Amino acid sequence: MAPEILGIGEVVVDWVATVDHFPEPDEKLDSKSQNIFSGGVTANYAVAVARLGGSVGFFGAIGDDHYGRYLLEDFKQEKVEIGRASCRERV
């Protein structure tokens, strides 16, 4: 069954680091911890719709690397439909 709602936009990986204080210009800090999260305005809306029980798909470009696989797995876990066309293919 095709999704009832289709999000078209970007999906990104957000890196979040915990530090002691906000750095001054040119100051270098060591982070206490680092995490990555899926992001992108339209991608976040698609996940929100899926969590509310909506039938939603997402159309966008995702890289073919470990971050791209992380994003695809996140969409799968959140029950957001994704296509399987490669960005290298011309359709």
Side-chain angles (χ1 to χ4, degrees), residues 3-48:
E4 295 177 1
I5 299 168
L6 178 64
I8 301 173
E10 68 176 358
V11 59
V12 299
V13 173
D14 294 330
W15 281 26
V16 178
T18 303
V19 294
D20 286 328
H21 61 276
F22 194 81
E24 298 294 327
D26 296 322
E27 180 182 13
K28 294 172 180 49
L29 297 174
D30 289 329
S31 65
K32 294 181 174 216
S33 67
Q34 296 180 23
N35 289 300
I36 62 170
F37 301 95
S38 299
V41 173
T42 307
N44 290 343
Y45 278 119
V47 168

Side-chain angles (χ1 to χ4, degrees), residues 28-82:
K28 294 172 180 49
L29 297 174
D30 289 329
S31 65
K32 294 181 174 216
S33 67
Q34 296 180 23
N35 289 300
I36 62 170
F37 301 95
S38 299
V41 173
T42 307
N44 290 343
Y45 278 119
V47 168
V49 168
R51 287 182 180 179
L52 291 170
S55 173
V56 62
F58 184 83
F59 181 85
I62 295 178
D64 187 20
D65 59 7
H66 65 281
Y67 295 115
R69 289 185 290 279
Y70 167 81
L71 293 167
L72 292 174
E73 183 60 30
D74 194 49
F75 275 140
K76 182 179 176 182
Q77 288 180 0
E78 295 289 352
K79 297 182 175 56
V80 173
E81 296 267 339
I82 53 172

